[in-house]
Amino acid sequence: MAHVVVVTGAASGIGAAVARHFGGLGAHVVVADVDEAGGTAVAREVDGLFVRTDTTREADNLALIAAAVAAYGGLDVVHLNAGIGDGGGFGEDDYDRARQHRVLAVNLHGVMYGLHAALPALAAHGGGSLLVTSSMAGVGAAPFDPVYAATKYGVIGLVRSLAPAWQDKGVRINAVCPGIVRTPILRPEAVEYITAQGLALAEPAEIAASVAGITAGEETGRAYVLQAGRSPEPVAFPKLELARADG
């Protein structure tokens, strides 16, 4: 039986590549995005279903998962990939409350709504894999966009904290942390600058192949760095142990 795969932010970039990859494997793919034209085109390409989804709205997340289950009978893989950047900074010239709230709404609250909608449905179908797109900014530093970095750290915390509770229900929860990827979010001048520095850009299709491999594995509660030409690299987090008082 073909797997059922839901991908948010799937009208372009990494999300579109993930949809195409799973479509090429014969999966039933549900493409979710606010971009109706782009999302419809990708869904048509993979012979899947497009559901217009504003991930900042809890009702849209619930409707997305309900539509996938109604169309295909259940869920096997959910990739919460939708995200944006440019949250500004904290100086006099770049502080913008509205921009900050928008980045938080999409990158953090949107993931929370997606988790709330998808996890019970995955468990009800006998288990499956849920993947969240974080970023290398979520395990390092991003001076150019600290608000974006905060949200990407946040989703890794969600993944690591939720994974143990859902493991017994057969649901694996992991995060991917892509590096520099050739997507529409990068302006042409940014691509020129990056390549001039001798840095490699990963192609979305390369990231998608890694995503598929991670969802097929048995690990849970992990975050994987994805860079051009490299296999997924699990992030090593410190093991925390409670200190005991003497005596």
Side-chain angles (χ1 to χ4, degrees), residues 15-120:
V18 170
R20 293 185 182 109
H21 187 93
F22 278 106
L25 296 177
H28 298 301
V29 181
V30 181
V31 173
D33 208 293
V34 292
D35 178 358
E36 295 189 34
T40 299
V42 172
R44 187 181 301 117
E45 185 180 340
V46 301
D47 194 24
L49 171 69
F50 172 68
V51 180
R52 187 190 184 283
T53 307
D54 179 350
T55 57
T56 68
R57 300 185 69 251
E58 185 173 19
D60 278 25
N61 286 273
L62 292 168
L64 166 64
I65 298 304
V69 172
Y72 300 118
L75 290 179
D76 298 290
V77 175
V78 175
H79 185 186
L80 302 178
N81 169 73
I84 61 172
D86 194 19
F90 294 87
E92 292 183 0
D93 298 330
D94 59 354
Y95 181 82
D96 188 318
R97 185 187 307 163
R99 280 163 57 191
Q100 288 186 3
H101 279 262
R102 179 62 181 164
V103 173
L104 287 166
V106 175
N107 294 3
L108 192 53
H109 293 151
V111 170
M112 291 178 177
Y113 293 147
L115 290 164
H116 170 63
L119 287 172

Side-chain angles (χ1 to χ4, degrees), residues 3 11 24 41 59 119 164 168 237-238:
H3 280 181
L119 287 172
D168 290 343
F237 294 101

